[in-house]
Amino acid sequence: MTSTERSRGGMSEQRRHRVRLEISREAARLFWTQGLEATSGDQIAAAVGLSTRTIWRHFRSKESCAEPIVRESVEWELASLRSWQPHQSLEEHLAEEAVRFHRELGPQEQADAGLGIKMIRLGETEPALRTAWLMACDQVEHELTGILANRLGLKPDGLEVRLHAAATSAALRVINEYVGSGLLDGADPATLGDPNLLFIADAVRRATGGAVGDAVAPSATDTARPDGGTATARPDGGRGPADRA
């Protein structure tokens, strides 16, 4: 029996994920409306319709209940990064993703995104919630290492690609915090960035010194680099960002 069918406790992994996410939603609502300190495990259990004992089977502390909803706040971002095609610049890809985002994001996903933003804001004064957000950002950085290594023809464990992944992840984190805070403060979304998300591509280019953002040629045109990596030829006949670094 696979792990997707049954976990150690007999619950399917999919069911376990759904239960954890529902608990996280209710906990986040309580944290936001009445504060972290004033919220108890019993209140979270009552809000979700489960026993307090069940809450502690799924989470090590009440603060950790926020982790799934915070992680959900970066899932769309991660899915978008994974689907970035080599022939597309970051600007082109994000413009397409902005359309898909508005077309496919349903009411529940929108509500989850809003709760995630609220937990990120609470993290400014609650270290335990800040930790949950930074853990999610670390996941983004980890996946970016593989994505950028593939695009730039570099080794995933090399210093160069790890620095680019760290810089890109930091830029995305700051943008999420900036835009989220602005929305919670009632700012007009139009003043926080353009609808095609091109301001994100601009921030990533600046953070990486222009190393991340260009379209690259198909892998068949890759050539070996002296350091054991590959140098990716650009569609314009020049060399890829990895060669400028």
Side-chain angles (χ1 to χ4, degrees), residues 117 121 172-189 191-194 197 199-200:
I117 289 172
R121 165 65 76 83
L172 296 175
R173 175 182 59 78
V174 171
I175 287 172
N176 279 318
E177 293 171 355
Y178 172 77
V179 173
S181 290
L183 292 174
L184 289 176
D185 291 338
D188 181 350
T191 66
L192 300 174
D194 60 275
L197 308 180
F199 70 105
I200 299 177

PDB file of all heavy atoms in Angstrom, residues 117 121 172-189 191-194 197 199-200:
ATOM      1  N   ILE A 117      -1.697  35.893   3.246  1.00  0.00           N
ATOM      2  CA  ILE A 117      -1.213  37.267   3.359  1.00  0.00           C
ATOM      3  C   ILE A 117      -1.351  37.770   4.800  1.00  0.00           C
ATOM      4  O   ILE A 117      -0.448  38.420   5.348  1.00  0.00           O
ATOM      5  CB  ILE A 117      -1.993  38.189   2.395  1.00  0.00           C
ATOM      6  CG1 ILE A 117      -1.587  37.896   0.946  1.00  0.00           C
ATOM      7  CG2 ILE A 117      -1.751  39.664   2.730  1.00  0.00           C
ATOM      8  CD1 ILE A 117      -2.444  38.611  -0.081  1.00  0.00           C
ATOM      9  N   ARG A 121       1.605  38.951   7.441  1.00  0.00           N
ATOM     10  CA  ARG A 121       1.577  40.232   8.160  1.00  0.00           C
ATOM     11  C   ARG A 121       1.723  39.996   9.663  1.00  0.00           C
ATOM     12  O   ARG A 121       2.497  40.692  10.333  1.00  0.00           O
ATOM     13  CB  ARG A 121       0.277  40.970   7.852  1.00  0.00           C
ATOM     14  CG  ARG A 121      -0.031  42.136   8.804  1.00  0.00           C
ATOM     15  CD  ARG A 121       0.981  43.275   8.708  1.00  0.00           C
ATOM     16  NE  ARG A 121       0.787  44.067   7.540  1.00  0.00           N
ATOM     17  CZ  ARG A 121      -0.100  45.062   7.420  1.00  0.00           C
ATOM     18  NH1 ARG A 121      -0.901  45.367   8.430  1.00  0.00           N
ATOM     19  NH2 ARG A 121      -0.185  45.755   6.307  1.00  0.00           N
ATOM     20  N   LEU A 172      11.366  37.677  -4.594  1.00  0.00           N
ATOM     21  CA  LEU A 172       9.972  37.240  -4.551  1.00  0.00           C
ATOM     22  C   LEU A 172       9.381  37.397  -3.149  1.00  0.00           C
ATOM     23  O   LEU A 172       8.223  37.790  -2.986  1.00  0.00           O
ATOM     24  CB  LEU A 172       9.866  35.787  -5.015  1.00  0.00           C
ATOM     25  CG  LEU A 172      10.254  35.523  -6.467  1.00  0.00           C
ATOM     26  CD1 LEU A 172      10.221  34.026  -6.761  1.00  0.00           C
ATOM     27  CD2 LEU A 172       9.318  36.265  -7.427  1.00  0.00           C
ATOM     28  N   ARG A 173      10.188  37.105  -2.123  1.00  0.00           N
ATOM     29  CA  ARG A 173       9.712  37.256  -0.748  1.00  0.00           C
ATOM     30  C   ARG A 173       9.363  38.712  -0.443  1.00  0.00           C
ATOM     31  O   ARG A 173       8.286  39.006   0.104  1.00  0.00           O
ATOM     32  CB  ARG A 173      10.767  36.761   0.244  1.00  0.00           C
ATOM     33  CG  ARG A 173      10.379  37.001   1.702  1.00  0.00           C
ATOM     34  CD  ARG A 173      11.460  36.549   2.672  1.00  0.00           C
ATOM     35  NE  ARG A 173      12.732  37.231   2.459  1.00  0.00           N
ATOM     36  CZ  ARG A 173      12.995  38.470   2.862  1.00  0.00           C
ATOM     37  NH1 ARG A 173      12.056  39.185   3.486  1.00  0.00           N
ATOM     38  NH2 ARG A 173      14.174  39.017   2.646  1.00  0.00           N
ATOM     39  N   VAL A 174      10.258  39.617  -0.811  1.00  0.00           N
ATOM     40  CA  VAL A 174      10.030  41.040  -0.536  1.00  0.00           C
ATOM     41  C   VAL A 174       8.793  41.538  -1.288  1.00  0.00           C
ATOM     42  O   VAL A 174       7.980  42.289  -0.735  1.00  0.00           O
ATOM     43  CB  VAL A 174      11.272  41.867  -0.918  1.00  0.00           C
ATOM     44  CG1 VAL A 174      10.970  43.357  -0.855  1.00  0.00           C
ATOM     45  CG2 VAL A 174      12.435  41.531   0.009  1.00  0.00           C
ATOM     46  N   ILE A 175       8.637  41.105  -2.534  1.00  0.00           N
ATOM     47  CA  ILE A 175       7.466  41.525  -3.320  1.00  0.00           C
ATOM     48  C   ILE A 175       6.183  41.015  -2.670  1.00  0.00           C
ATOM     49  O   ILE A 175       5.195  41.751  -2.542  1.00  0.00           O
ATOM     50  CB  ILE A 175       7.584  41.018  -4.770  1.00  0.00           C
ATOM     51  CG1 ILE A 175       8.649  41.836  -5.508  1.00  0.00           C
ATOM     52  CG2 ILE A 175       6.243  41.135  -5.492  1.00  0.00           C
ATOM     53  CD1 ILE A 175       8.981  41.301  -6.879  1.00  0.00           C
ATOM     54  N   ASN A 176       6.185  39.748  -2.262  1.00  0.00           N
ATOM     55  CA  ASN A 176       4.998  39.196  -1.603  1.00  0.00           C
ATOM     56  C   ASN A 176       4.647  39.976  -0.344  1.00  0.00           C
ATOM     57  O   ASN A 176       3.467  40.267  -0.076  1.00  0.00           O
ATOM     58  CB  ASN A 176       5.236  37.726  -1.244  1.00  0.00           C
ATOM     59  CG  ASN A 176       5.025  36.797  -2.423  1.00  0.00           C
ATOM     60  OD1 ASN A 176       4.087  36.962  -3.194  1.00  0.00           O
ATOM     61  ND2 ASN A 176       5.885  35.816  -2.569  1.00  0.00           N
ATOM     62  N   GLU A 177       5.661  40.303   0.448  1.00  0.00           N
ATOM     63  CA  GLU A 177       5.413  41.044   1.683  1.00  0.00           C
ATOM     64  C   GLU A 177       4.924  42.468   1.387  1.00  0.00           C
ATOM     65  O   GLU A 177       3.999  42.965   2.036  1.00  0.00           O
ATOM     66  CB  GLU A 177       6.687  41.089   2.524  1.00  0.00           C
ATOM     67  CG  GLU A 177       7.094  39.719   3.068  1.00  0.00           C
ATOM     68  CD  GLU A 177       8.463  39.705   3.722  1.00  0.00           C
ATOM     69  OE1 GLU A 177       9.163  40.750   3.679  1.00  0.00           O
ATOM     70  OE2 GLU A 177       8.839  38.654   4.264  1.00  0.00           O
ATOM     71  N   TYR A 178       5.544  43.100   0.396  1.00  0.00           N
ATOM     72  CA  TYR A 178       5.184  44.479   0.044  1.00  0.00           C
ATOM     73  C   TYR A 178       3.760  44.550  -0.502  1.00  0.00           C
ATOM     74  O   TYR A 178       2.947  45.379  -0.058  1.00  0.00           O
ATOM     75  CB  TYR A 178       6.177  45.011  -0.990  1.00  0.00           C
ATOM     76  CG  TYR A 178       5.801  46.350  -1.584  1.00  0.00           C
ATOM     77  CD1 TYR A 178       5.998  47.530  -0.874  1.00  0.00           C
ATOM     78  CD2 TYR A 178       5.246  46.435  -2.860  1.00  0.00           C
ATOM     79  CE1 TYR A 178       5.650  48.757  -1.415  1.00  0.00           C
ATOM     80  CE2 TYR A 178       4.894  47.648  -3.406  1.00  0.00           C
ATOM     81  CZ  TYR A 178       5.093  48.813  -2.689  1.00  0.00           C
ATOM     82  OH  TYR A 178       4.738  50.022  -3.222  1.00  0.00           O
ATOM     83  N   VAL A 179       3.455  43.692  -1.462  1.00  0.00           N
ATOM     84  CA  VAL A 179       2.121  43.702  -2.071  1.00  0.00           C
ATOM     85  C   VAL A 179       1.071  43.282  -1.047  1.00  0.00           C
ATOM     86  O   VAL A 179       0.006  43.893  -0.949  1.00  0.00           O
ATOM     87  CB  VAL A 179       2.086  42.780  -3.308  1.00  0.00           C
ATOM     88  CG1 VAL A 179       0.656  42.645  -3.832  1.00  0.00           C
ATOM     89  CG2 VAL A 179       2.989  43.329  -4.405  1.00  0.00           C
ATOM     90  N   GLY A 180       1.373  42.236  -0.267  1.00  0.00           N
ATOM     91  CA  GLY A 180       0.421  41.783   0.740  1.00  0.00           C
ATOM     92  C   GLY A 180       0.085  42.858   1.748  1.00  0.00           C
ATOM     93  O   GLY A 180      -1.092  43.086   2.076  1.00  0.00           O
ATOM     94  N   SER A 181       1.098  43.545   2.257  1.00  0.00           N
ATOM     95  CA  SER A 181       0.859  44.614   3.227  1.00  0.00           C
ATOM     96  C   SER A 181       0.047  45.740   2.604  1.00  0.00           C
ATOM     97  O   SER A 181      -0.857  46.296   3.242  1.00  0.00           O
ATOM     98  CB  SER A 181       2.191  45.159   3.744  1.00  0.00           C
ATOM     99  OG  SER A 181       2.835  44.220   4.566  1.00  0.00           O
ATOM    100  N   GLY A 182       0.362  46.057   1.361  1.00  0.00           N
ATOM    101  CA  GLY A 182      -0.382  47.112   0.678  1.00  0.00           C
ATOM    102  C   GLY A 182      -1.852  46.774   0.528  1.00  0.00           C
ATOM    103  O   GLY A 182      -2.726  47.624   0.763  1.00  0.00           O
ATOM    104  N   LEU A 183      -2.138  45.523   0.156  1.00  0.00           N
ATOM    105  CA  LEU A 183      -3.531  45.107  -0.004  1.00  0.00           C
ATOM    106  C   LEU A 183      -4.279  45.149   1.332  1.00  0.00           C
ATOM    107  O   LEU A 183      -5.429  45.589   1.399  1.00  0.00           O
ATOM    108  CB  LEU A 183      -3.589  43.699  -0.589  1.00  0.00           C
ATOM    109  CG  LEU A 183      -3.101  43.553  -2.039  1.00  0.00           C
ATOM    110  CD1 LEU A 183      -3.079  42.087  -2.444  1.00  0.00           C
ATOM    111  CD2 LEU A 183      -3.976  44.356  -2.993  1.00  0.00           C
ATOM    112  N   LEU A 184      -3.618  44.686   2.398  1.00  0.00           N
ATOM    113  CA  LEU A 184      -4.260  44.711   3.716  1.00  0.00           C
ATOM    114  C   LEU A 184      -4.498  46.128   4.208  1.00  0.00           C
ATOM    115  O   LEU A 184      -5.450  46.382   4.958  1.00  0.00           O
ATOM    116  CB  LEU A 184      -3.399  43.950   4.727  1.00  0.00           C
ATOM    117  CG  LEU A 184      -3.362  42.427   4.565  1.00  0.00           C
ATOM    118  CD1 LEU A 184      -2.390  41.811   5.565  1.00  0.00           C
ATOM    119  CD2 LEU A 184      -4.752  41.822   4.736  1.00  0.00           C
ATOM    120  N   ASP A 185      -3.657  47.060   3.769  1.00  0.00           N
ATOM    121  CA  ASP A 185      -3.812  48.462   4.169  1.00  0.00           C
ATOM    122  C   ASP A 185      -4.799  49.211   3.279  1.00  0.00           C
ATOM    123  O   ASP A 185      -5.004  50.412   3.455  1.00  0.00           O
ATOM    124  CB  ASP A 185      -2.456  49.169   4.153  1.00  0.00           C
ATOM    125  CG  ASP A 185      -1.537  48.676   5.256  1.00  0.00           C
ATOM    126  OD1 ASP A 185      -2.044  48.127   6.255  1.00  0.00           O
ATOM    127  OD2 ASP A 185      -0.300  48.822   5.117  1.00  0.00           O
ATOM    128  N   GLY A 186      -5.373  48.491   2.303  1.00  0.00           N
ATOM    129  CA  GLY A 186      -6.385  49.100   1.452  1.00  0.00           C
ATOM    130  C   GLY A 186      -5.863  49.829   0.237  1.00  0.00           C
ATOM    131  O   GLY A 186      -6.605  50.602  -0.388  1.00  0.00           O
ATOM    132  N   ALA A 187      -4.620  49.589  -0.141  1.00  0.00           N
ATOM    133  CA  ALA A 187      -4.052  50.264  -1.319  1.00  0.00           C
ATOM    134  C   ALA A 187      -4.717  49.762  -2.591  1.00  0.00           C
ATOM    135  O   ALA A 187      -5.158  48.608  -2.677  1.00  0.00           O
ATOM    136  CB  ALA A 187      -2.546  50.015  -1.385  1.00  0.00           C
ATOM    137  N   ASP A 188      -4.780  50.615  -3.579  1.00  0.00           N
ATOM    138  CA  ASP A 188      -5.283  50.223  -4.898  1.00  0.00           C
ATOM    139  C   ASP A 188      -4.284  49.242  -5.498  1.00  0.00           C
ATOM    140  O   ASP A 188      -3.094  49.570  -5.639  1.00  0.00           O
ATOM    141  CB  ASP A 188      -5.396  51.465  -5.781  1.00  0.00           C
ATOM    142  CG  ASP A 188      -5.932  51.160  -7.176  1.00  0.00           C
ATOM    143  OD1 ASP A 188      -6.044  49.962  -7.526  1.00  0.00           O
ATOM    144  OD2 ASP A 188      -6.220  52.116  -7.918  1.00  0.00           O
ATOM    145  N   PRO A 189      -4.720  48.022  -5.865  1.00  0.00           N
ATOM    146  CA  PRO A 189      -3.791  47.036  -6.431  1.00  0.00           C
ATOM    147  C   PRO A 189      -2.995  47.566  -7.611  1.00  0.00           C
ATOM    148  O   PRO A 189      -1.845  47.170  -7.821  1.00  0.00           O
ATOM    149  CB  PRO A 189      -4.716  45.895  -6.853  1.00  0.00           C
ATOM    150  CG  PRO A 189      -5.891  46.007  -5.938  1.00  0.00           C
ATOM    151  CD  PRO A 189      -6.081  47.477  -5.733  1.00  0.00           C
ATOM    152  N   THR A 191      -1.618  50.327  -7.918  1.00  0.00           N
ATOM    153  CA  THR A 191      -0.454  51.100  -7.493  1.00  0.00           C
ATOM    154  C   THR A 191       0.666  50.214  -6.954  1.00  0.00           C
ATOM    155  O   THR A 191       1.763  50.692  -6.683  1.00  0.00           O
ATOM    156  CB  THR A 191      -0.837  52.102  -6.386  1.00  0.00           C
ATOM    157  OG1 THR A 191      -1.217  51.382  -5.194  1.00  0.00           O
ATOM    158  CG2 THR A 191      -2.007  52.976  -6.827  1.00  0.00           C
ATOM    159  N   LEU A 192       0.393  48.917  -6.801  1.00  0.00           N
ATOM    160  CA  LEU A 192       1.379  48.001  -6.228  1.00  0.00           C
ATOM    161  C   LEU A 192       2.157  47.226  -7.281  1.00  0.00           C
ATOM    162  O   LEU A 192       3.090  46.501  -6.963  1.00  0.00           O
ATOM    163  CB  LEU A 192       0.671  47.013  -5.290  1.00  0.00           C
ATOM    164  CG  LEU A 192      -0.085  47.643  -4.113  1.00  0.00           C
ATOM    165  CD1 LEU A 192      -0.856  46.580  -3.364  1.00  0.00           C
ATOM    166  CD2 LEU A 192       0.889  48.359  -3.183  1.00  0.00           C
ATOM    167  N   GLY A 193       1.778  47.366  -8.533  1.00  0.00           N
ATOM    168  CA  GLY A 193       2.455  46.654  -9.612  1.00  0.00           C
ATOM    169  C   GLY A 193       1.544  46.566 -10.817  1.00  0.00           C
ATOM    170  O   GLY A 193       0.339  46.792 -10.728  1.00  0.00           O
ATOM    171  N   ASP A 194       2.122  46.249 -11.974  1.00  0.00           N
ATOM    172  CA  ASP A 194       1.322  46.186 -13.190  1.00  0.00           C
ATOM    173  C   ASP A 194       0.560  44.867 -13.267  1.00  0.00           C
ATOM    174  O   ASP A 194       0.964  43.859 -12.693  1.00  0.00           O
ATOM    175  CB  ASP A 194       2.225  46.344 -14.422  1.00  0.00           C
ATOM    176  CG  ASP A 194       3.264  45.246 -14.499  1.00  0.00           C
ATOM    177  OD1 ASP A 194       4.331  45.400 -13.860  1.00  0.00           O
ATOM    178  OD2 ASP A 194       3.019  44.236 -15.162  1.00  0.00           O
ATOM    179  N   LEU A 197       2.317  41.524 -14.138  1.00  0.00           N
ATOM    180  CA  LEU A 197       3.359  41.070 -13.219  1.00  0.00           C
ATOM    181  C   LEU A 197       4.777  41.343 -13.720  1.00  0.00           C
ATOM    182  O   LEU A 197       5.734  40.719 -13.269  1.00  0.00           O
ATOM    183  CB  LEU A 197       3.211  39.563 -12.927  1.00  0.00           C
ATOM    184  CG  LEU A 197       1.823  39.096 -12.465  1.00  0.00           C
ATOM    185  CD1 LEU A 197       1.831  37.594 -12.217  1.00  0.00           C
ATOM    186  CD2 LEU A 197       1.384  39.836 -11.208  1.00  0.00           C
ATOM    187  N   PHE A 199       6.605  43.825 -13.131  1.00  0.00           N
ATOM    188  CA  PHE A 199       7.445  44.393 -12.076  1.00  0.00           C
ATOM    189  C   PHE A 199       8.191  43.290 -11.326  1.00  0.00           C
ATOM    190  O   PHE A 199       9.267  43.517 -10.789  1.00  0.00           O
ATOM    191  CB  PHE A 199       6.602  45.216 -11.102  1.00  0.00           C
ATOM    192  CG  PHE A 199       5.679  44.423 -10.214  1.00  0.00           C
ATOM    193  CD1 PHE A 199       5.978  44.224  -8.886  1.00  0.00           C
ATOM    194  CD2 PHE A 199       4.495  43.888 -10.715  1.00  0.00           C
ATOM    195  CE1 PHE A 199       5.129  43.505  -8.052  1.00  0.00           C
ATOM    196  CE2 PHE A 199       3.637  43.167  -9.894  1.00  0.00           C
ATOM    197  CZ  PHE A 199       3.953  42.976  -8.562  1.00  0.00           C
ATOM    198  N   ILE A 200       7.630  42.068 -11.322  1.00  0.00           N
ATOM    199  CA  ILE A 200       8.317  40.947 -10.692  1.00  0.00           C
ATOM    200  C   ILE A 200       9.544  40.571 -11.501  1.00  0.00           C
ATOM    201  O   ILE A 200      10.632  40.358 -10.947  1.00  0.00           O
ATOM    202  CB  ILE A 200       7.375  39.735 -10.544  1.00  0.00           C
ATOM    203  CG1 ILE A 200       6.180  40.108  -9.658  1.00  0.00           C
ATOM    204  CG2 ILE A 200       8.122  38.532  -9.982  1.00  0.00           C
ATOM    205  CD1 ILE A 200       5.151  39.003  -9.506  1.00  0.00           C
TER     206      ILE A 200
END
